[in-house]
Amino acid sequence: MKQAQAGDNVQVHYKGTLTDGQLFDSSEGRDPLNFKLGSGQVIKGFDDGVTGMEIGDKKTIHIPNAEAYGPVNEDMVINFERSQIPADIPLEVGGTLNMHQDGGRVIPVVVKEVTEEYVILDANHPLAGQDLIFELELVGIN
């Protein structure tokens, strides 16, 4: 049987959990994830985990955060004066806002803390700093 290799379009069913067992994503009830292996469309550890699999293969992989979304970058945790954020923007801890950079790029940020004086926003990916576990099943290679 053919093994998945860089350049192949592959279809994968997956279940992603954190090391504590918390589910963060799954293809259950949906079409399998379809991507070009080795193209950078998925995180490196996921790409590496699928490489070499054959159709029908199932396996569980552990991806350290360096091969997933990287460590938490403290430079991406930003402290704003409360007065810099318009009063009509809802600020709830854990809520998500969109920051607009020069050039129109939009970056989602999570509200970490809100006081009368300041607001702390985190622009790290929500899975930054997390090791990830994926249960994989390769269902197609084109």
Side-chain angles (χ1 to χ4, degrees):
M1 284 191 102
K2 179 172 173 42
Q3 291 185 333
Q5 60 188 354
D8 289 339
N9 285 311
V10 295
Q11 295 80 45
V12 179
H13 275 298
Y14 66 92
K15 176 181 166 186
T17 58
L18 303 177
T19 55
D20 67 1
Q22 179 184 345
L23 178 72
F24 66 85
D25 196 8
S26 173
S27 66
E28 185 176 342
R30 303 187 316 218
D31 289 337
L33 177 63
N34 186 4
F35 66 98
K36 186 174 184 177
L37 202 55
S39 68
Q41 292 176 300
V42 297
I43 58 175
K44 181 184 181 328
F46 195 97
D47 220 9
D48 291 348
V50 174
T51 300
M53 291 180 72
E54 297 177 355
I55 294 174
D57 282 355
K58 294 179 182 183
K59 70 177 178 180
T60 300
I61 59 172
H62 179 269
I63 303 174
N65 72 57
E67 294 179 15
Y69 295 96
V72 172
N73 180 347
E74 292 303 327
D75 291 339
M76 295 181 76
V77 179
I78 309 155
N79 190 349
F80 285 95
E81 289 182 23
R82 178 64 183 93
S83 61
Q84 291 180 284
I85 299 176
D88 63 330
I89 294 180
L91 295 172
E92 294 181 23
V93 173
T96 302
L97 302 174
N98 289 322
M99 286 183 58
H100 298 269
Q101 288 188 315
D102 295 336
R105 183 170 177 223
V106 177
I107 298 176
V109 295
V110 174
V111 178
K112 289 295 192 185
E113 187 176 338
V114 178
T115 72
E116 289 183 20
E117 294 85 33
Y118 62 87
V119 176
I120 297 177
L121 303 175
D122 187 350
N124 283 286
H125 187 283
L127 294 173
Q130 299 283 340
D131 292 345
L132 308 178
I133 299 169
F134 281 97
E135 293 176 21
L136 305 174
E137 179 183 5
L138 184 63
V139 295
I141 301 173
N142 297 327

